[in-house]
Structure formats: structure tokens, C-alpha cells
Amino acid sequence: MRIHCKIVVIAVCFGVFLLLYFFGGNAADDPPLKEVEEDNYFPKFSGLRNNVASKLTKKTPDELHIPHKQPLTYRKVSKVASRGGNAIAKSRQRSDMGVGRPASKRARADEVMHLAVVACGNRLDETLTMVKSALLFSIKSIKFHIFAEDPLTSQFEKGFLFQLSQWPHAITNKFQYSIYPITFSVGNAEEWKKLFKPCAAQRLFLPVILKDVDSLLYVDTDVLFLRPMDDMWSFLKAFNTTQLAAMAPEHEIPKIGWYSRFARHPFYGVTGVNSGVMLMNLTRIRSTLFKNSMIPSGLSWEDLLHPLYQKYKNHITWGDQDLLNIIFHYNSECLYTFPCQWNYRPDHCMYGSNCKGAEEEGVSILHGNRGVYHDDKQPAFKVVYDAIHEYPFEDNLFQSLFYPLQTKFLDTVNTLCGRIPQVFLKQVEKSMRTVYEKKVVRHVRPPPK
């Protein structure tokens, strides 16, 4: 009887020990990182999904930069119109509910990038397509500053309201805009309007008009973003203490560059710069005295513009771009130059491929000057424009945008620019893969105890 009792006691103790060991071991396990449930976002890239998920299991949440829920933020969409010479602002507010306290003003300002465009004449569709391309891959919110003639103001308002009703919440959530009338603070307004192209000179006055904006990216209406605008915005951090603006060279080869062969005025560097994509630190521009050939002591930006135009107006061909070249000829330490793939134009391929950065990394920003989006002279540029213009913002970027774009490029391979399709497609594909990875992989938290 005693032996039986001892056996029972030992068995009970052993069982209790096993239970304690089992529960203690499981409690010490870390919650895993899992792949999101299967979906049909990119059916042809299931291999990529598995590869990404396998890599994620080896990293911590901090290494993966997994975003936490954002605090309460406020977004403002405003319209500035001109009535009898006075600016009347109408604003609409929208808030996105999150977790925690409202974000501070400084935190909200850091999250917004500023982009300006000037539209006159028949540039409405072109401008809306540019806006669409900027929002397509961007990460941070974008505030658009749109300068337009009075007849276009109401058209832009209707166009944006229509687009906002069509675009998904994920896109409109990072979209803000203001519409301004065309104004020139110095000189003859009619004379400025006729400089080169209608209203193009407005970009010269952005530091004067947008006094509350610290930094800004200006682009022409015929520009398309093929990668996140955030990457261009990061060039601001590359500025040294004297640099206050950034542009790309007008050409890569001096022997066939316009400024190096025909200019009758001073210009920047060896080939000049192109102002179709111009990144600016407006705060620095407003506080700098610029050297010039007229007044030894230097002039502020606003005070410099009109006398500079009066001196060179009979010698300039490309209007405001020529004036910018003259300014930075005398103030070369103030300009940062970014590579040609950030302002890729027909000149980079119509005379043979001469932008090495685009050959290696692909085009980052496409600039369809010479009207190539709307004729058949450079079909490779038109194919990209049409694909983005017609893209319906469906979930499947590859099926709705990339594959049609890739197919249409087959019709351009016999043209000078179309024979290098990888230049146009490389960054688009890379940007889409980034969007894919963010959409299909997430951190799965352990269930509550």
C-alpha cells in the first residue's frame, strides 16, 4: 500500500512539473512576423511576396520601420481666387481620425511637401496628369500651389472636385491645394506675361508670393513623376550652407548644347541649367543679396528681377530660364545641380542617348517639353503620358498601368527614344514594387491575453 501511494505522489508531481514547463515555455516565445493573407493584388508576383515575408522574419519591427498609427491630423484644402484685385480665400477642412493627441503644427509641417505649377492657356489636362503622377507614388502629403489665369481657375476647381470624387481615399488623404491668380510684384505685368510662354515668368515671383512656405519644388505642367516626389525633396538635405536652389544641366554635351553654342548672355556653368524642374529653399532666397553686373553691393531677389530683365530683354531667348541662368552665373555657389535623370527631356535621347544616370537608374522625372505628349514626334514620351493620364487608380498597379505601358512601348522601338525602353520603365517598376511591398506585408500583433 505504501509503495502504491508513493507511485501516485510521484506521478502527480511529475504531471504538475510538465504543466508548469509547458506554459512557461510558451509564454517566453516572441510574437512572429507574418505575411498578410493571400490576395489578388499582384497575382504574378507571389514569389516576391514569399521572398519578402521570409526576409521579414529575420528583422525586428524597428529595423523594418513599421509605422505606428498616426495621431489626429488636420488637412486643409483651399482656393485663392482674384476678384477686383483682392484675393478671396475659401477653405475646406478635413480631419483624419487616428490614435493619440492632435499632431503639433511643427510635426504636421514636416509631413507636407510643397509643389508649385503655373498653368495658362490649354494646360488643364496636362496639369491634372502631373498632379496625378506626383500623388501616385508619394509617401508624404503634398500641398499643390497652382497659379492660373482667371478663365482656368474655375476649371481647375471643377477638375479637382471631380478627381477627388474619383480617386481613392489613400490618394486624396495626402492631397491639398491652393489656386492663385497670376500676379507680378514688380515691373509691367503684361510684359512679364508675354515673356517666352504665357505666364511662365510667374515662377520667378514664387519666393515673393509664398512668404509662408519654407521650401518648394516648382515643375512645368509637362512634367511627370516616375518615382516618389519624396526622393526629389530629399535633395534639400544635400544643400550646403550657401546653396538655395537646385536644377539639372540644360545639356550633357557642350558641343550640342544650346547655351554653349548660341547664348548671347551669361549662363551657369558649361551648358546652362533647365528650369522646368526647380527645387528651392525660399527662406534662403528671400534672405540673400545676389551678386550681379549692375550694383556692386548686391540686390535682393525681388529687387533684382526687373532691372535684370530690362538689361537683357533684347538678348534672351528662353525668357525666365535665361534670367535664372544669368542670376546663377554670378552666384554659382548658390546652386546645387542634380543629375539629368531628374529632368529627362527629348534632348537626352533624340540625338542619341546622352544621360548616363538615366541609363543606369532609369528616369526619375520625365519632362515632355517641345509638346511631345501631344504629337507623334517622340512616341516614347507620349506613351508614358497617355498611360498615367488614363490610369484609373485601381489596386493592381502592374495590371492597370505597368503592363499596358510595357506593351505600348513595343510600338516605339523603332524611334530614337523608344529603342531604350528600360530608361523609361526601370524607375516605374521599382516604384510599383515598393508600393506592393508596403501593401502586402505588415506586422501582425499577438492576440490580447
Side-chain angles (χ1 to χ4, degrees):
M1 186 66 180
R2 292 180 180 179
I3 295 175
H4 285 53
C5 290
K6 288 181 180 180
I7 292 174
V8 171
V9 171
I10 292 172
V12 170
C13 293
F14 185 69
V16 171
F17 174 76
L18 286 176
L19 288 172
L20 290 174
Y21 178 79
F22 176 75
F23 286 114
N26 280 339
D29 288 341
D30 291 327
L33 287 173
K34 295 183 180 179
E35 184 185 0
V36 170
E37 62 275 10
E38 292 289 326
D39 57 27
N40 296 320
Y41 188 65
F42 294 125
K44 294 190 178 183
F45 285 83
S46 58
L48 175 61
R49 173 172 32 231
N50 295 334
N51 184 39
V52 172
S54 66
K55 291 180 180 178
L56 285 175
T57 57
K58 300 176 183 178
K59 297 184 179 182
T60 66
D62 291 335
E63 291 172 328
L64 290 167
H65 307 290
I66 294 167
H68 301 287
K69 285 188 177 180
Q70 296 297 320
L72 181 65
T73 58
Y74 300 92
R75 304 182 186 277
K76 190 175 186 179
V77 181
S78 62
K79 178 185 74 173
V80 181
S82 177
R83 296 289 184 272
N86 297 323
I88 302 173
K90 296 181 181 180
S91 59
R92 174 165 57 89
Q93 288 190 336
R94 177 175 72 249
S95 65
D96 301 314
M97 301 304 295
V99 177
R101 300 176 181 177
S104 66
K105 291 183 179 179
R106 182 173 181 180
R108 292 199 300 272
D110 290 342
E111 294 172 356
V112 178
M113 302 177 291
H114 292 266
L115 190 152
V117 64
V118 179
C120 290
N122 59 344
R123 301 283 182 166
L124 178 65
D125 276 351
E126 224 176 52
T127 305
L128 291 174
T129 304
M130 180 278 294
V131 169
K132 191 177 185 180
S133 74
L135 291 169
L136 194 57
F137 303 121
S138 69
I139 300 168
K140 300 186 184 72
S141 297
I142 304 175
K143 172 70 178 288
F144 293 89
H145 302 268
I146 299 168
F147 293 80
E149 293 176 303
D150 285 341
L152 276 180
T153 300
S154 59
Q155 294 181 42
F156 268 113
E157 185 67 18
K158 291 177 183 177
F160 280 129
L161 289 175
F162 175 75
Q163 298 291 1
L164 286 170
S165 67
Q166 300 293 314
W167 293 348
H169 180 71
I171 296 297
T172 59
N173 192 37
K174 55 185 179 182
F175 171 71
Q176 308 168 49
Y177 73 94
S178 294
I179 302 177
Y180 308 83
I182 301 296
T183 55
F184 303 97
S185 59
V186 295
N188 186 307
E190 292 303 315
E191 197 172 19
W192 282 118
K193 283 183 181 180
K194 296 175 182 177
L195 183 63
F196 185 46
K197 291 182 179 179
C199 308
Q202 181 71 76
R203 85 185 84 183
L204 297 174
F205 295 86
L206 296 178
V208 180
I209 298 171
L210 302 176
K211 295 184 182 296
D212 296 329
V213 178
D214 175 68
S215 296
L216 178 81
L217 175 64
Y218 167 86
V219 297
D220 287 346
T221 59
D222 51 10
V223 158
L224 294 172
F225 292 84
L226 304 187
R227 68 186 289 177
M229 178 185 158
D230 309 65
D231 297 334
M232 164 59 79
W233 196 253
S234 66
F235 278 118
L236 288 167
K237 297 178 181 179
F239 285 11
N240 63 26
T241 55
T242 63
Q243 290 167 339
L244 44 78
M247 288 181 274
E250 171 65 21
H251 217 288
E252 300 302 300
I253 304 174
K255 290 182 180 180
I256 58 176
W258 194 92
Y259 283 107
S260 53
R261 293 187 294 164
F262 305 117
R264 296 180 295 153
H265 57 79
F267 56 89
Y268 177 85
V270 180
T271 60
V273 286
N274 184 281
S275 61
V277 179
M278 183 177 179
L279 187 63
M280 293 175 275
N281 185 317
L282 300 183
T283 301
R284 290 187 180 183
I285 291 176
R286 287 188 286 261
S287 62
T288 299
L289 291 178
F290 292 88
K291 300 188 291 291
N292 58 85
S293 60
M294 299 169 290
I295 298 177
S297 58
L299 290 168
S300 69
W301 184 267
E302 185 176 15
D303 293 337
L304 175 62
L305 295 177
H306 190 247
L308 192 70
Y309 170 67
Q310 290 298 319
K311 179 175 180 177
Y312 290 103
K313 64 180 180 180
N314 295 323
H315 303 280
I316 58 178
T317 303
W318 307 115
D320 54 307
Q321 178 173 293
D322 290 346
L323 294 180
L324 289 168
N325 267 280
I326 296 168
I327 291 173
F328 289 110
H329 169 82
Y330 292 104
N331 301 270
S332 58
E333 73 283 359
C334 294
L335 187 67
Y336 177 95
T337 55
F338 46 72
C340 52
Q341 65 264 31
W342 293 94
N343 186 353
Y344 190 87
R345 288 162 279 120
D347 288 352
H348 290 119
C349 54
M350 62 188 292
Y351 305 117
S353 181
N354 56 65
C355 178
K356 291 183 179 179
E359 292 172 9
E360 295 171 357
E361 300 180 13
V363 174
S364 297
I365 294 180
L366 193 68
H367 185 181
N369 63 349
R370 302 174 181 265
V372 293
Y373 293 151
H374 311 293
D375 59 33
D376 296 321
K377 293 180 180 178
Q378 297 298 336
F381 283 77
K382 188 175 187 299
V383 161
V384 178
Y385 176 83
D386 289 343
I388 295 176
H389 181 266
E390 297 166 7
Y391 174 62
F393 270 120
E394 294 178 358
D395 280 345
N396 198 320
L397 278 166
F398 276 91
Q399 288 188 358
S400 302
L401 181 58
F402 184 74
Y403 293 143
L405 180 60
Q406 200 174 38
T407 301
K408 290 179 181 178
F409 251 98
L410 295 175
D411 298 329
T412 72
V413 293
N414 294 324
T415 65
L416 286 171
C417 294
R419 65 185 179 183
I420 46 174
Q422 71 279 5
V423 166
F424 293 84
L425 300 176
K426 187 178 293 186
Q427 276 298 335
V428 175
E429 184 178 12
K430 183 179 178 181
S431 298
M432 289 183 183
R433 285 178 181 272
T434 302
V435 172
Y436 163 76
E437 291 177 10
K438 288 182 178 179
K439 186 176 181 70
V440 303
V441 178
R442 74 180 180 205
H443 180 236
V444 180
R445 294 182 178 179
K449 294 182 180 180

